[in-house]
Amino acid sequence: MSHQTVVVLDFGGQYNQLIARRVRECSVYCEVLPYKTPLAEVLAKKPIGIIFTGGPNSVYLNDSPHVDPAIFEQGIPVLGICYGSQLMAHNLGGRVTAAEEDTAREYGKTKTYFNTSCKLFQGLPTEGITWMSHGDYMEKVPDGFSLVAHSDACPNVAICDESRGFYGVQYHPEVNHTQHGIDMIHNFLYLVCGARGDWTMGDYARNTIDALRKKVGDGKVLLALSGGVDSSVAAALLSKAVGDQLTCIFVDHGLMRKNEGDEVEAAFKDRSLNFVRVNAGERFLGKLAGISEPEKKRKIIGEEFIRVFEEEAKKIGQVDFLAQGTIYPDIIESGMGDAAVIKSHHNVGGLPDYVDFKEIVEPLRLLFKDETRALGRELGLPDYLVNRQPFPGPGLAIRIIGEITPEKVTTLQDADWIFREEIAKAKLDRDIHQYFAVLTNMRSVGVMGDGRTYDYTLALRGVTTTDFMTADWARIPYETLDLISRRIVNEVRGINRIVYDITSKPPATIEWE
Ligand code: XMP
């Protein structure tokens, strides 16, 4: 694919994925690499610019993350953000120290003054709010650098050496709280790095379709179609690329939401692709019987998926490629590269070692969720498919805490159905990006009629998010929650208590397992 690339070197800051998104919003392709990536590997990407992210460490400590200093001798522009700017200053002869209390140490929204003759701030107002989060500051700026922004407390908020294309900012331009932050990133990309803006969904679709055609040749492709956004977009992309060499297999693992199996079948049956539905509910529930550990559930489901595909593949004849709708956050959160394992998403970490296919194709692995939706629209998929809220591969298995039984699946399906129905009726389904019910493993005492009950607690979860990497809990009006709670307790047997989850991500995750 012929597009320019920016590399984001990850030093462990909390907003690193957001930086990548901002770069892509500026129509420039970008990849996040761990800071330990050997310089040769970074250079092999032929980056037009490099961005150092923030991070929790102090550059002057020996065990803090560092870079190969040769990175500054490649003629490639660098933008350092927070820790990244201190790292650049530290490497190029400046001095970074712990800020004294109440002086140069800054957290939160901070009034900042900019020198707009610096390319980074060109065309922007001379003052504005920035989002700071730093306990260290650049006491001495390296030779050749000028100070180009300051705040009331700190003289060194931004530095630059325009002759070498080096820029450092103490604040976070990638977060929305920084006014014109995206414009500063845009300036770095276009005025400093010479970006052309060649990352558009139209280009991406065309390039990917061409690349898929070349890769697949006249081979056969099997796609795991769940009916969710990701696999539906992957299906559309692959069917444009290789037509009827593609077979889509929908494995109904018996852990779908109420009526979902039939809905998926109805949505895809009449499209011009080979669609096969496999009803494997009993098989999956059998394998999951007695299992309560979340990662084990995920691995079992991931493995069973692959087995079902292999069996279906054999019926079709020689299948060369297994396609999956894996997207970028799945890869990051499954602990690829330097990131910690949060949970193994069934379509990444759960893959068994032995897979009886020549190769796995994942045409969406570079995309964030909203980019996937945009691609879906580009490919002409209908809105109801593109805007579907995400549903995890392991389905209700990871929304039933503890052991899974067929009865619990039915209970959860019925409760979740009511929740979704009422959210739609309240016209909140577009504002809340993901909402679902979780059957907890906890039972408590209640009173119904004149009798004592000892039944399960159901948790409701609703989140707002742009990329599903971070999320806030949705402020569902009390009246709606009240209605949902009363309906579920009255209509679904086995539940006598409803709670609403009010944790954001982080520290929680969106799903409960
Ligand atoms: P978490 O729970 O990790 O979820 O905050 C982030 C998003 O990913 C979805 N999710 C999955 N999607 N396979 C998937 O395809 C999985 O194993 C999986 N686990 C979580 C989750 O629903 C949310 O949208």
Side-chain angles (χ1 to χ4, degrees):
M1 258 178 272
S2 60
H3 51 69
Q4 296 178 315
T5 299
V6 162
V7 167
V8 171
L9 269 195
D10 181 354
F11 290 93
Q14 53 181 325
Y15 305 123
N16 299 350
Q17 295 307 323
L18 205 51
I19 301 174
R21 287 188 41 77
R22 295 290 178 250
V23 173
R24 293 194 194 188
E25 277 170 28
C26 294
S27 308
V28 178
Y29 176 70
C30 125
E31 276 186 50
V32 181
L33 299 178
Y35 75 91
K36 285 183 211 152
T37 309
L39 181 56
E41 258 175 60
V42 174
L43 298 179
K45 304 269 176 199
K46 300 198 169 45
I48 58 165
I50 298 175
I51 299 181
F52 294 171
T53 74
N57 304 76
S58 291
V59 286
Y60 44 80
L61 300 178
N62 283 338
D63 56 355
S64 53
H66 278 278
V67 276
D68 183 339
I71 200 163
F72 298 106
E73 288 154 24
Q74 308 300 323
I76 302 172
V78 178
L79 170 63
I81 294 176
C82 197
Y83 179 85
S85 70
Q86 296 160 4
L87 185 71
M88 181 158 69
H90 180 79
N91 270 272
L92 297 174
R95 191 165 55 248
V96 177
T97 53
E100 297 287 314
E101 207 69 48
D102 295 335
T103 56
R105 181 183 183 144
E106 292 171 301
Y107 294 97
K109 292 181 180 175
T110 309
K111 183 133 188 218
T112 306
Y113 309 89
F114 305 100
N115 176 345
T116 53
S117 66
C118 166
K119 281 187 188 156
L120 210 55
F121 309 121
Q122 199 170 300
L124 304 181
T126 52
E127 52 180 79
I129 299 297
T130 64
W131 181 257
M132 300 274 193
S133 181
H134 65 98
D136 290 340
Y137 91 118
M138 291 176 274
E139 188 183 45
K140 177 180 173 295
V141 171
D143 291 343
F145 277 74
S146 357
L147 293 173
V148 283
H150 67 275
S151 65
D152 293 324
C154 177
N156 310 341
V157 169
I159 57 169
C160 73
D161 176 352
E162 302 221 87
S163 64
R164 289 188 284 175
F166 294 159
Y167 298 79
V169 293
Q170 286 281 12
Y171 57 88
H172 290 272
E174 69 276 20
V175 305
N176 280 333
H177 302 301
T178 296
Q179 292 171 339
H180 295 288
I182 182 111
D183 299 321
M184 297 168 193
I185 292 172
H186 192 276
N187 278 351
F188 174 70
L189 298 170
Y190 284 79
L191 302 182
V192 180
C193 303
R196 292 190 300 264
D198 55 10
W199 177 257
T200 65
M201 270 309 150
D203 292 333
Y204 180 77
R206 277 186 293 280
N207 286 337
T208 309
I209 289 169
D210 282 352
L212 283 170
R213 263 190 208 128
K214 280 202 195 97
K215 180 166 191 167
V216 171
D218 52 11
K220 284 193 179 159
V221 188
L222 201 59
L223 171 73
L225 182 64
S226 69
V229 184
D230 305 344
S231 61
S232 301
V233 174
L237 204 54
L238 277 154
S239 101
K240 289 220 176 203
V242 298
D244 62 6
Q245 288 161 254
L246 170 71
T247 301
C248 293
I249 294 183
F250 164 50
V251 177
D252 187 343
H253 50 24
L255 295 154
M256 309 293 285
R257 288 166 290 194
K258 190 170 171 167
N259 296 344
E260 196 167 24
D262 296 341
E263 281 169 20
V264 172
E265 182 166 352
F268 285 94
K269 197 95 213 236
D270 299 332
R271 294 175 157 260
S272 55
L273 43 81
N274 304 316
F275 177 85
V276 180
R277 175 174 177 176
V278 188
N279 290 316
E282 278 183 24
R283 179 172 170 169
F284 276 84
L285 286 178
K287 288 268 173 192
L288 288 165
I291 306 292
S292 48
E293 210 270 306
E295 280 297 286
K296 222 174 190 174
K297 288 184 190 172
R298 285 173 171 275
K299 299 273 180 207
I300 289 172
I301 294 171
E303 172 134 3
E304 211 51 25
F305 250 96
I306 299 291
R307 297 293 160 246
V308 175
F309 284 130
E310 284 173 350
E311 289 167 21
E312 289 306 314
K314 286 205 184 90
K315 293 183 196 159
I316 297 164
Q318 172 61 41
V319 170
D320 309 281
F321 299 93
L322 174 68
Q324 299 198 105
T326 317
I327 63 170
Y328 193 57
D330 300 336
I331 294 169
I332 298 291
E333 297 211 340
S334 293
M336 302 294 157
D338 217 32
V341 176
I342 296 168
K343 51 183 84 165
S344 9
H345 282 198
H346 92 279
N347 38 9
V348 189
L351 278 183
D353 299 335
Y354 168 75
V355 182
D356 193 11
F357 299 94
K358 204 161 87 187
E359 225 174 306
I360 297 211
V361 202
E362 296 174 318
L364 311 177
R365 63 182 289 126
L366 299 178
L367 302 186
F368 289 96
K369 194 82 185 182
D370 50 345
E371 292 176 315
T372 306
R373 291 190 208 277
L375 177 60
R377 275 181 222 110
E378 183 75 37
L379 294 168
L381 281 180
D383 267 4
Y384 77 89
L385 273 186
V386 168
N387 294 329
R388 269 190 109 160
Q389 59 164 314
F391 185 63
L396 301 183
I398 57 165
R399 294 179 180 172
I400 294 172
I401 309 304
E403 217 172 303
I404 300 162
T405 63
E407 295 73 36
K408 283 186 177 178
V409 173
T410 309
T411 303
L412 180 56
Q413 280 176 332
D414 290 344
D416 184 72
W417 173 267
I418 294 173
F419 184 28
R420 287 189 291 136
E421 195 171 57
E422 290 302 330
I423 290 292
K425 274 197 211 153
K427 299 199 171 16
L428 294 168
D429 48 334
R430 276 301 184 89
D431 301 331
I432 306 175
H433 302 114
Q434 197 171 2
Y435 49 97
F436 52 88
V438 175
L439 187 60
T440 75
N441 208 10
M442 198 197 79
R443 291 200 288 169
S444 66
V445 175
V447 51
M448 263 183 172
D450 286 329
R452 175 190 194 268
T453 57
Y454 187 58
D455 282 334
Y456 285 105
T457 298
L458 184 91
L460 302 175
R461 180 78 162 139
V463 296
T464 53
T465 174
T466 51
D467 55 13
F468 298 86
M469 304 281 287
T470 60
D472 196 7
W473 59 277
R475 273 45 171 185
I476 299 177
Y478 283 168
E479 301 72 45
T480 312
L481 285 172
D482 180 48
L483 188 64
I484 293 163
S485 166
R486 280 187 287 123
R487 268 199 69 190
I488 292 176
V489 172
N490 280 316
E491 294 175 34
V492 183
R493 283 166 83 86
I495 294 173
N496 67 353
R497 195 177 290 273
I498 311 281
V499 295
Y500 185 52
D501 181 347
I502 54 164
T503 22
S504 59
K505 171 187 181 181
T509 52
I510 295 174
E511 303 289 346
W512 276 36
E513 287 196 337

